[in-house]
Amino acid sequence: MSEHRRKPPQPQGGGRAAARRGQSGSSSGRRAAPRGATGSPSDSYGSDSYGSGGEERPYGGRAEARRAAQRSTGGRRRAAEPSRGGRRAAPGGARGGAAAFPAEKRLIDYPRAGKYGWQRWLPSWKLVSGLCIGFFGSLVAVAGIGYAMVGVPTEENAAALSQNNVYYWADGTQMVAAGSGQNRQNVTFARIPKEMRDAVISAENKTFYQDSGVDPMGIARALANMARGGDTQGGSTITQQFVKNTYLSQEQTVSRKFKEMFISIKVGTKLSKDKILQGYLNTSYYGRGAYGIQAAAQTYFGKDAEKLNASECAFLTALLKGPTYYDPAGNASLDPAASAKKNLKRSKERWGWILQQMHNDNKLSDAKYQEAISKYPMPQERKASKGMSGQIGYLADTAKKYVLNNSDITEKQFDQGGYQIRTTFEKSKVEALTKAVKKIEDEKLDPEKRELDKHVQFGAASVKPKDGAIVALYGGAGYENGHFNNNADTSGVPVGSTWKPFVLAAAMEHGTYRSDGVGVSPLSKYNGNDDLKVRKPDGSYYLRKDNSIFRQQNETDYPWGYISLRKAMEQSVNTPFVQLGVDVGMARVREVAKRSGILDQSMVQELNPSFALGTSTPSAIRMADAYATFAASGKQAAPYSVTSVKFNGQEVQGFEKPRITQAMPENVANNVTNVLENVIQNGTGKNALSLGRTAAGKTGTTDENKSAWFVGYTKQLSTSVAMFREDPKSAKLLSMNGTAGEESIHGGDVPTLVWTEYMKAALKGKPDLGFPEAEKIGVIQNAVGAPSPTPTPSPTPSETVTESPSPTPSESSSPSPSPSDTCGFFGCEDDGGTDNGGTDNGGTDGGVSTPPTPTETNVDGGNSRGNGNGGLFGGPEG
């Protein structure tokens, strides 16, 4: 064989041997031996292939060696480093190369070195265990530091010692200092009935005598709720609640929750469980301004705490969940969901559940449980607190409601006191409104002689146009007389025909389905006859549930024929406005009312034909505010009763004046005002003429005269007055037929007299500013079936905006049956009638009539007056 002949590549022989030699060299850290040094036949091929002048190894062996060397160092394509004595590093030098560049050592080996693919990202058990130990160690350290740094306050939080709230009139003088500053008295543990202690433990913290004072899971739930913006209550132990009531503020923050936890742990080690329970029951809020078990026992049952029985203790324990919603007296003025009916249901359910828990926990024997559960302990009625008599209670109630709805202050915080509330109420106007109600009441009503004069109530409110400030209200007979519902800011009293101006405004702004979006003129004529079949836009008639045709009635069967909308408003004829509302679309009527200031929740949801006649039940405050929108040429400002709030002398943010918006075009509002001026000058509101100044208004009466309204305004003041009879037990409205010795009571009678008497005093010495001139608006769009108009010359408009008052309503509001021609601001009209029909079923002021389906309104079937729906802040009826 030639000395220079090469051996063929040997993948399974020489290659493997070379790889082994490379691996051997790598593992020893030494250079591979030259071929001649081993004595094998291949040694004759020369000296080390990487020595000077040496021959390279066969290809297969060297490649395998390189790959083996790379694998051993963890590298995949590490470049060969030149050796000091030759051109290339020996294969065996691969290990030496790795030693020259050692892998960097890291504190946390992640991603993991020496691993490939998904294994590179899989943490080792050492890493996982180390992190867990570090995390829990940190928590222990933080808890230790927190426990060491947070100490138990040496004094009770000032918030736990309830103070008075001070209310001020609009001029800054003090109205009343009210609150629960005197309504708290601590009692010793021995004077707290065992049943009360057992009830609280069974209901709120069964492990009270065994736990350490904190509930970790409860804290976790509270923090989770806090992160979601929910309530943090419900997860605290009795110890934690005692700490919060006594030492901490009521703010909903994470830091406060941690303080509560650490202080609770320390309190649990320093105070006995009996002391903690005593403190909790003496600092808890039970509603009605009562703090502590002694004040609660006196407030609800008129007895000392030590005389409470098991049933009464369960009742008071139920209040701890939230007196606003568990006091059977209700508090719908703060939240419509807290009506007396709903609260009573909630209270009974929780009262029964607490007694059952006491029985289950062996705190009550079978006999005592049966005795306690046999009768619900109905508490005594609410009582007027010091200084809250007359109208002051209603003024403070309205202001308090406004504060709670325009801030993050809770009722409990507010009742703890320390607030200074400056209101919009003007003392002189409040007194004038009260005197006006009392004067007309004394003149017209004699409940001692007439049974039908009993249970008559009034509600009234007065608002500044283009501002929204409530300057006066009349809420009822007073807290001291057991009347706690604020009639000025309550619901359930339908407004009747005082709703018609919203129908007219919608027609003038949007037109009807036949006018292509062009507003209609108030001279448009509609059928004013009684017993009218109401036509849908498709030409069909509205039907009742029995598929009979629905017919709308008026107060009388007088044959008005086709009369102008202006005339229909003047005489408060129902049928034209029902058909107009359908032609315009009740949804648009609703939207105009809403933009004017009426709350959604105070409007009936069924937009049937009767919606146009005032089946809705806004409050007196909201009606005065909505009419103020007309007085201000369409500018609307939400009603408000508070201008500033301070807490312990520091200003509370969020009580700026409401923003003014343009609720409707100026000329639409001015034309509504023009039409309502005519109601006073020639129509059902003529009793307001004695005011002796420019004014506009509308009367309203409902079926069977269950309610009567007058809402009117000048440029400076908008005032609404409601009158109704109410069953004191069921809160259902009663008919006023026969009240005040009259066959029936209408909005043009007593309510208008009260309005006029008040406005005389409230505006005394003020100039008569009149109203902006109304420009012609819209097109005459007569109803379907109206006779074609005969062209007549139009007279030049004059400043006298009147129509002939014929037929003129008499004191009993019965129109004289003689149609006449009338001329006014928009020209002349013929109000001739054509036929008779129907029954006497409406109100003189356009009484609410029976709707197409018996279930669509309850006005005819006896109203149950709510406490929150349609109030200043609204809410569903309770």
Side-chain angles (χ1 to χ4, degrees), residues 494-497 552 574 610 613-616 701-704 841-843 845-851 857 859-860:
V495 295
S497 287
Q552 178 62 53
N574 286 342
S610 295
L613 298 181
T615 54
S616 297
T701 309
T702 58
D703 281 341
E704 300 181 32
N841 193 34
D845 304 304
V848 178
S849 300
T850 307
T857 180
V859 174
D860 224 7

Side-chain angles (χ1 to χ4, degrees), residues 155-162 180 183-188 192 196 200 204 237-248 250 271 275-287 289-296 319-320 323 412-413 415-416:
E155 296 182 359
E156 291 184 343
N157 182 6
L161 302 174
S162 55
S180 53
N183 197 15
R184 179 184 175 192
Q185 180 182 351
N186 290 340
V187 292
T188 62
I192 300 174
M196 186 67 197
V200 170
E204 299 193 13
T237 64
I238 287 176
T239 304
Q240 287 175 263
Q241 293 179 61
F242 164 65
V243 166
K244 181 177 63 177
N245 290 345
T246 308
Y247 302 116
L248 300 174
Q250 302 296 315
L271 296 181
K275 282 289 186 182
I276 292 172
L277 185 56
Q278 171 188 310
Y280 171 62
L281 292 173
N282 277 328
T283 58
S284 293
Y285 182 58
Y286 295 81
Y291 283 84
I293 184 62
Q294 174 65 14
L319 292 172
L320 295 175
K412 180 177 179 180
Q413 288 174 300
D415 286 349
Q416 284 175 335

Side-chain angles (χ1 to χ4, degrees), residues 694-707:
T694 307
K698 183 69 186 78
T699 56
T701 309
T702 58
D703 281 341
E704 300 181 32
N705 304 120
K706 290 179 180 176
S707 64

